[in-house]
């Protein structure tokens, strides 16, 4: 059975019965193009289940979508944002580094302190913190936000 994308989004809606959502997630796993799961504007109530599908993917599968995932952290009230944040924190720091630095630059340009605060969660991964040491300026900025949003780092 093939389900069109609009029907799939409707099935992924978190207000649907859990069995419908689970079936939709099973179908969604078959789709290779992950861009369709990056916060589909017309279907905000499907975002959490979209995030579940995204978070199951390998670092290599997510490599092309890192910036879009970081943008998801602009507002932790958005459905699925915590799932995405936790998945990014586990990602290979070398894969994430350039996208994260770009996102920090964007947040600074936009004066989006909340986004900086939420992105600072990534420092929980000491390997990411260490990888960021090449870019001391951004490491320092995120460390300051981490202290404010999440508390002092353990290292």
């Amino acid at each position: 059975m093939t389900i069109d994308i609009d029907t799939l989004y409707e099935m992924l809606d978190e207000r649907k019965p859990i069995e419908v959502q689970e079936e939709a997630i099973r179908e969604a796993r078959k789709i290779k193009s992950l861009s369709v799961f990056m916060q589909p504007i017309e279907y905000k109530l499907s975002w959490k289940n979209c995030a579940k599908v995204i978070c199951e993917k390998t670092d290599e599968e997510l490599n092309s979508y890192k910036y879009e995932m970081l943008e998801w952290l602009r507002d932790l009230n958005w459905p699925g944002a915590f799932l995405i944040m936790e998945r990014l924190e586990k990602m290979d720091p070398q894969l994430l580094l350039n996208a994260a630095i770009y996102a920090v630059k964007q947040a600074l340009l936009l004066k989006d302190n909340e986004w900086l605060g939420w992105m600072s969660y990534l420092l929980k991964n000491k390997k990411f913190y260490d990888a960021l040491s090449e870019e001391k300026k951004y490491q320092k900025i995120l460390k300051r936000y981490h202290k404010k949003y999440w508390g002092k780092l353990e290292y």
Side-chain angles (χ1 to χ4, degrees), residues 10-129:
E10 288 168 16
M11 293 170 67
L12 288 167
D13 186 314
E14 58 189 59
R15 296 172 300 184
K16 294 286 186 203
I18 194 73
E19 310 79 49
V20 172
Q21 293 178 55
E22 288 171 353
E23 181 187 348
I25 289 171
R26 283 192 297 277
E27 286 300 312
R29 287 180 182 133
K30 299 174 187 174
I31 297 173
K32 288 187 178 117
S33 193
L34 298 179
S35 59
V36 298
F37 301 116
M38 296 294 164
Q39 295 180 311
I41 294 167
E42 301 85 355
Y43 298 98
K44 192 169 184 175
L45 290 171
S46 73
W47 289 9
K48 186 173 184 179
N49 284 320
C50 287
K52 288 178 184 177
V53 173
I54 292 164
C55 291
E56 291 177 353
K57 302 299 180 182
T58 66
D59 286 0
E60 290 71 31
E61 290 171 303
L62 296 174
N63 195 29
S64 299
Y65 306 98
K66 298 173 301 225
Y67 184 75
E68 289 80 2
M69 292 173 71
L70 285 160
E71 278 191 323
W72 209 314
L73 305 187
R74 291 185 74 173
D75 187 340
L76 288 193
N77 289 315
W78 286 341
F82 277 99
L83 295 171
I84 295 294
M85 184 172 64
E86 288 171 352
R87 178 61 183 90
L88 284 167
E89 187 251 333
K90 291 176 178 81
M91 188 174 263
D92 177 342
Q94 293 304 321
L95 284 179
L96 187 57
L97 194 59
N98 289 335
I101 290 168
Y102 181 76
V104 169
K105 288 177 182 178
Q106 289 301 111
L108 289 168
L109 280 172
L110 296 168
K111 296 178 174 46
D112 192 336
N113 294 326
E114 286 215 336
W115 190 14
L116 289 164
W118 304 141
M119 279 192 289
S120 72
Y121 182 85
L122 301 174
L123 295 181
K124 286 188 176 291
N125 180 341
K126 180 149 179 8
K127 289 180 182 173
F128 179 75
Y129 178 84

